Amino acid sequence: LAADLAGHPGSGAILVGPRQEPAVHALAAVLNQVLGATGSTVSYAAEPDPDRPSHMEAISGLAEAMASGSVQTLLILGGNPAYDAPADLAFDELLTKVPVSVHLSLYDDETSRRCTWHLPQAHGLESWGDGRAFDGTVTMRQPLIQPLYDGRSAVEVLAMAAGRETASGHDLVREASRTSTTAADFEDSWKRALHDGVVEETAWPLVTPRLDPGRLA
């Protein structure tokens, strides 16, 4: 395998799983650089928010704030942290310390039963939404079926929390699309994005990392 990769520079790639340690990813990056894969079969984009906390740091910080009584209102969009948050956080018990807790979810689960309010969430197949791919490209999601029940999507609930009670998922996604495109004709760009499922030219700029030999020891 090593001889095959070395014999075809720029044509192969070494990938490691997302659960591997940073050192393993760093080693793969070094090998891809040596094999000529960087810039050929492997490309890199800069992390848009490198200082954001990890999932574990974020939920641990939230748990500390809940334990101290500083969280007066908590809005949980999906998930079931009362069930699957790290056990040592005792997240289910901490929920009882929050005066107002709201859970948007498809299911009446452990978190819903600990919260003050449970809101029925619209299924992904019946709601509008958007997001970003791994390379930063804005992606579009539009309903495939008529609404089943009177549920709300995460973006609609966030809009309501911000005071926009009448904003629909369609309007919110359309507004976000308007801010992410540089096309002169927005209507044409909007229709093309709905057709293709992505907004053109919204990927993050590519970067070319360079090895630091002094740190390879």
Side-chain angles (χ1 to χ4, degrees):
L1 178 61
D4 193 12
L5 287 169
H8 299 83
S11 298
I14 295 178
L15 306 177
V16 297
R19 296 187 179 184
Q20 294 294 334
E21 298 179 357
V24 180
H25 285 272
L27 178 59
V30 170
L31 293 175
N32 280 321
Q33 182 81 20
V34 172
L35 294 171
T38 302
S40 177
T41 57
V42 176
S43 58
Y44 294 89
E47 169 60 59
D49 187 11
D51 297 325
R52 77 178 187 273
S54 66
H55 294 308
M56 186 60 193
E57 292 171 338
I59 197 169
S60 296
L62 173 60
E64 292 178 4
M66 293 165 65
S68 68
S70 60
V71 178
Q72 298 300 306
T73 302
L74 178 62
L75 177 59
I76 304 175
L77 301 176
N80 188 8
Y83 174 78
D84 55 21
D88 58 344
L89 296 181
F91 198 90
D92 56 338
E93 298 178 9
L94 292 176
L95 271 175
T96 62
K97 298 179 179 293
V98 179
V100 179
S101 52
V102 183
H103 186 213
L104 175 70
S105 175
L106 291 169
Y107 309 101
D108 180 13
D109 53 29
E110 290 83 358
T111 300
S112 299
R113 295 163 194 160
R114 291 279 185 169
C115 287
T116 313
W117 294 92
H118 166 75
L119 303 182
Q121 184 177 14
H123 192 277
L125 294 178
E126 57 175 332
S127 57
W128 288 85
D130 56 12
R132 285 190 179 272
F134 280 108
D135 67 348
T137 298
V138 175
T139 62
M140 311 289 289
R141 186 188 72 214
Q142 52 187 309
L144 298 178
I145 59 175
Q146 292 289 337
L148 297 173
Y149 306 104
D150 191 22
R152 295 291 184 272
S153 65
V155 294
E156 289 171 327
V157 171
L158 283 176
M160 292 174 65
R164 299 186 57 185
E165 297 183 7
T166 60
S168 67
H170 170 274
D171 294 341
L172 293 168
V173 172
R174 181 179 165 88
E175 289 177 17
S177 178
R178 186 185 293 275
T179 62
S180 63
T181 183
T182 58
D185 188 340
F186 172 71
E187 289 300 329
D188 180 69
S189 172
W190 168 250
K191 292 178 181 178
R192 185 166 58 253
L194 291 180
H195 177 273
D196 297 343
V198 297
V199 180
E200 294 181 345
E201 300 180 358
T202 53
W204 293 317
L206 297 181
V207 296
T208 303
R210 297 185 180 279
L211 292 180
D212 182 357
R215 302 182 64 182
L216 295 179

